[in-house]
Amino acid sequence: MKLRLLVAALLFPLFIQAQTSSKPTVAEAQAFMNQAEAQLKDMSVKANRAQWVQENFITDDTQALSADANDQITALTEDLVEQAKRFDGLAMPADLQRKFLLLKLSLTAPAPHDAALRKEMTQIASSLDADYGKGKYCRKPDDCLDITAIEKVMTDSHDPNQLKEMWVGWHKVGAPMRPRYARFVELSNQGAREMGFKDVGAMWRAGYDMTPEQFNAELERLWQQVRPLYVSLHTFVRARLSRYYGPNVVPPDGPIPADLLGNPWAQEWDGIFPLLGLPENSRGYDLTQLLQARNLDAKGMVRYGEAFYKSLGLAPLPDTFWERSLFTKPRDRDVVCHASAWDVDTADDLRVKMCIQIRDVDFVTIHHELGHNFYQRAYKNQPFMFQGGANDGFHEAIGDTIALSVTPEYLQKIGLLDKVPPADADIPLLLRKALEKVAFLPFGLLIDEWRWRVFSGEIRPADYNKAWWEMRLKYQGVAPPVERSEADFDPGAKYHVAGNVPYMRYFLADILQFQFYRALCKEAGYTGPLNRCTFYQSKEAGAKLDKMLEMGQSKPWPDALEALTGQRQMDASAILDYFAPLQKWLDEQNTGVKAGW
Ligand code: X8Z
Ligand code: ZN
């Protein structure tokens, strides 16, 4: 085909010139896009199935099948992006223009055109994902802990030696990934450049309906808005941990050892609430205990989650959701336990995959995952290219917005809690929430700050770990519990790095969810203190939410934000409002204590 064109060009140069300068029409662009959407939809369903099987049954074969399917969809997408270049510069309706942009941005890992290199890249991606899923810390050959077990120990144990052992044990998972990760960066960068982007990070940043400079400025603005609240929390937590463990273990004026925060990545700190010295039972209840006292199983917890969404007027999940989801960790095989929500056929085949434990944080994660599923179903009638979150932060924020509504008042309404704790339980309740939401902010920011610098070449493979810990120190004020070197690859011990899932979405979601929540509480007619609001059973809130969800990514995200909140800017004032009483309390507690690290 190409050869024929070349001959024609030599024989009839003038004719060819006339042909190529005749502009394609909008009708042609529309027809091209319709066909592209049909092809991509078909192939993405196949790739979804392959990946579902791989993550639920990790073997060499399923890994190869999933890599193959990914290879094919990558090739198809890149081919379509190449063909779409002939419509560059054509004036077309805004929604069609948007589809062309979204087509270009649709791959998280763009690959080189060269088929051998593309295959190499998709195989590396699949092997990194599988390595994480299979990852274990083995104390002895027949005594191994997977990440679900390690997370549990790191939340429950308060023995610094055991915590250090777990932390070091889990972080061994990253080291073997290092050379493959470096190669992955090279190959996917080449793919991004072939598509016209500077590098993969620049391509990821192009998905926010603004220039990369504007996006950076937005991130900085939001971070500066919330940073004082984070520093107040850090200062308080460090002082209390120093009191609990002693100043030799937790120096009162330095960074906090990263293994002592109740979580393998020190990303959410709710596990250490009992160590902070508040009076026994100060919150009035403990959700983990309530769930366990009910003898709830994993499915029962998901049923509660679904019931919340139904109470807003949204339709129940299909039967296949209950038949095909994975709720508990299988005993006899390796699965990727990191929770995820799936939309296998871009219509009704919704699923979650999660190794649920009966505890409060998993209750929140269930609502989080269902938020993805309800969003996916709400936009299923949009054209394929518009089936996505207004931006990826929106997708991550929906379920968390619902989970914020899991208040004592709500738990009482659904019969899980007898008595709503009085107002003086608010500080402990807010503190517990802050350990989840405020502690997360710098972590949410730094993962992709690191990765963007890796993709741009500013951080070289020889400095991967050094830069990682510099950034963890700078943003989070945490330090590794033992010395690290470039023989380690600690970023690989975090799922989203191994699995190549962009992370800035979670930082945005952490801010957006409070903005959504405040708007939905208002819609529900609520006027009390924000942290006690539940919009459970509010059909008004449900209708407002659904209106935004149905839009998918058909419009720039400020339009979606406006539909729900009336605002067109991301705004951290909602998270600050929510935690305002706590910030005041923390600052009182911190009087005379040096802040920062
Ligand atoms: O990965 C997730 C979800 C699936 S999208 C469970 N989260 C981030 C993480 O675990 O690192 C939710 C909060 C942040
Ligand atoms: Zn999510």
Side-chain angles (χ1 to χ4, degrees):
M1 179 73 160
K2 266 188 195 143
L3 189 69
R4 231 177 350 173
L5 258 183
L6 182 69
V7 174
L10 289 172
L11 291 178
F12 311 108
L14 289 175
F15 173 74
I16 290 295
Q17 199 170 0
Q19 283 280 298
T20 48
S21 69
S22 85
K23 283 202 197 126
T25 63
V26 171
E28 282 166 358
Q30 186 69 65
F32 169 84
M33 186 49 75
N34 289 347
Q35 170 140 25
E37 287 186 295
Q39 285 178 292
L40 284 170
K41 179 178 164 167
D42 184 54
M43 206 172 269
S44 76
V45 175
K46 292 186 178 124
N48 287 345
R49 290 197 204 289
Q51 201 185 346
W52 173 266
V53 176
Q54 186 238 333
E55 293 204 1
N56 276 275
F57 194 90
I58 307 175
T59 67
D60 292 340
D61 295 316
T62 58
Q63 211 172 300
L65 291 170
S66 161
D68 261 3
N70 213 357
D71 189 66
Q72 284 172 24
I73 199 163
T74 305
L76 172 65
T77 308
E78 291 183 346
D79 191 32
L80 290 168
V81 170
E82 198 55 38
Q83 289 180 46
K85 283 186 180 156
R86 72 190 161 104
F87 302 109
D88 281 356
L90 174 68
M92 53 177 109
D95 61 339
L96 185 56
Q97 188 86 60
R98 186 167 174 79
K99 286 186 180 178
F100 277 93
L101 172 70
L102 293 170
L103 170 65
K104 250 179 108 167
L105 298 176
S106 63
L107 292 175
T108 333
H113 278 122
D114 181 283
L117 294 179
R118 189 182 64 236
K119 200 169 171 105
E120 185 187 352
M121 193 205 79
T122 46
Q123 282 176 348
I124 292 179
S126 178
S127 77
L128 291 171
D129 186 73
D131 275 13
Y132 186 95
K134 288 186 286 194
K136 285 180 187 63
Y137 160 49
C138 295
R139 289 184 274 214
K140 288 189 222 121
D142 59 348
D143 177 12
C144 296
L145 297 170
D146 58 27
I147 187 57
T148 310
I150 291 172
E151 277 187 71
K152 183 161 167 43
V153 177
M154 292 198 70
T155 308
D156 298 344
S157 168
H158 306 141
D159 167 359
N161 292 326
Q162 191 183 24
L163 289 170
K164 189 183 287 181
E165 181 199 344
M166 290 293 143
W167 190 96
V168 171
W170 175 249
H171 279 78
K172 287 190 182 143
V173 165
M177 296 179 188
R178 174 188 275 269
R180 271 172 296 151
Y181 190 77
R183 181 69 179 144
F184 174 78
V185 169
E186 273 174 21
L187 291 169
S188 56
N189 266 341
Q190 185 180 330
R193 282 194 290 271
E194 287 176 13
M195 276 199 190
F197 296 95
K198 243 172 74 199
D199 57 62
V200 175
M203 183 169 161
W204 288 1
R205 291 194 296 281
Y208 296 95
D209 300 306
M210 56 176 83
T211 66
E213 293 74 30
Q214 284 168 330
F215 188 52
N216 277 341
E218 278 298 272
L219 294 174
E220 181 62 16
R221 177 178 69 80
L222 294 169
W223 172 234
Q224 290 309 331
Q225 253 184 302
V226 295
R227 192 174 177 277
L229 177 57
Y230 177 73
V231 173
S232 298
L233 181 69
H234 181 282
T235 307
F236 173 76
V237 164
R238 181 179 57 190
R240 295 295 167 109
L241 286 183
S242 189
R243 191 198 284 177
Y244 183 85
Y245 285 115
N248 292 333
V249 180
V250 181
D253 53 0
I256 305 175
D259 56 335
L260 300 183
L261 288 159
N263 172 284
W265 310 275
Q267 65 178 67
E268 283 132 4
W269 304 348
D270 23 69
I272 58 157
F273 182 84
L275 310 188
L276 299 181
L278 275 77
E280 189 81 11
N281 199 24
S282 57
R283 287 180 291 160
Y285 71 98
D286 178 291
L287 183 54
T288 300
Q289 281 168 14
L290 296 180
L291 297 170
Q292 290 174 355
R294 290 263 152 175
N295 282 326
L296 267 185
D297 61 4
K299 209 174 203 170
M301 280 168 65
V302 184
R303 289 265 179 219
Y304 271 112
E306 186 204 28
F308 195 118
Y309 289 85
K310 285 196 291 189
S311 87
L312 301 177
L314 304 179
L317 291 164
D319 290 345
T320 50
F321 171 87
W322 301 100
E323 292 154 13
R324 298 175 188 170
S325 289
L326 179 95
F327 297 129
T328 46
K329 190 180 149 21
R331 251 175 283 171
D332 56 351
R333 62 179 202 263
D334 286 323
V335 302
V336 176
C337 266
H338 190 87
S340 53
W342 299 63
D343 173 15
V344 175
D345 66 351
T346 78
D348 294 304
D349 192 351
L350 305 166
R351 309 178 193 176
V352 298
K353 183 173 62 58
M354 203 182 150
C355 303
I356 297 176
Q357 305 182 51
I358 313 300
R359 50 179 196 164
D360 51 3
V361 285
D362 289 48
F363 200 61
V364 170
T365 306
I366 287 167
H367 289 77
H368 174 97
E369 297 307 332
L370 292 182
H372 289 308
N373 286 142
F374 279 95
Y375 207 167
Q376 287 156 345
R377 200 189 42 199
Y379 58 57
K380 72 172 183 177
N381 293 327
Q382 289 285 352
F384 181 77
M385 277 299 159
F386 291 157
Q387 295 190 359
N391 70 39
D392 53 7
F394 281 58
H395 227 303
E396 297 303 336
I398 300 304
D400 284 7
T401 305
I402 305 294
L404 286 176
S405 234
V406 176
T407 57
E409 288 71 11
Y410 165 71
L411 293 171
Q412 190 193 37
K413 274 191 185 160
I414 61 169
L416 278 180
L417 178 66
D418 292 336
K419 205 166 133 269
V420 170
D424 62 9
D426 271 7
I427 292 296
L429 287 168
L430 280 169
L431 178 59
R432 169 64 183 67
K433 257 292 176 261
L435 294 172
E436 195 184 316
K437 303 292 180 187
V438 179
F440 182 77
L441 288 162
F443 185 82
L445 189 68
L446 78 84
I447 302 274
D448 276 356
E449 294 277 351
W450 177 83
R451 223 168 358 184
W452 295 346
R453 292 172 61 203
V454 165
F455 282 126
S456 79
E458 192 192 332
I459 299 174
R460 291 164 309 123
D463 297 320
Y464 275 170
N465 230 38
K466 181 169 153 272
W468 173 258
W469 284 106
E470 279 167 8
M471 295 176 77
R472 296 202 67 186
L473 177 66
K474 174 179 163 195
Y475 286 104
Q476 284 188 287
V478 303
V482 295
E483 207 173 315
R484 308 308 280 165
S485 76
E486 296 303 328
D488 305 302
F489 181 55
D490 295 326
K494 176 66 196 159
Y495 172 69
H496 301 71
V497 176
N500 194 42
V501 181
Y503 211 79
M504 198 54 82
R505 54 184 65 178
Y506 301 107
F507 174 73
L508 300 178
D510 207 356
I511 309 248
L512 282 168
Q513 62 189 261
F514 287 91
Q515 215 174 333
F516 295 169
Y517 173 70
R518 185 170 64 182
L520 291 173
C521 288
K522 189 162 162 230
E523 201 60 34
Y526 180 81
T527 51
L530 196 50
N531 63 306
R532 289 289 182 119
C533 156
T534 182
F535 51 80
Y536 177 61
Q537 289 176 325
S538 168
K539 300 288 183 285
E540 293 77 15
K544 193 92 178 172
L545 177 66
D546 200 38
K547 209 163 143 233
M548 182 180 86
L549 299 186
E550 279 177 1
M551 291 167 74
Q553 54 183 342
S554 61
K555 296 277 180 299
W557 65 260
D559 291 3
L561 184 60
E562 190 171 20
L564 182 62
T565 67
Q567 294 177 282
R568 294 187 62 81
Q569 266 215 324
M570 290 186 275
D571 174 13
S573 75
I575 185 171
L576 295 179
D577 276 0
Y578 184 98
F579 287 113
L582 179 73
Q583 167 117 44
K584 184 166 168 288
W585 183 84
L586 286 173
D587 291 342
E588 284 160 18
Q589 307 300 309
N590 292 339
T591 315
V593 181
K594 180 179 163 284
W597 46 90

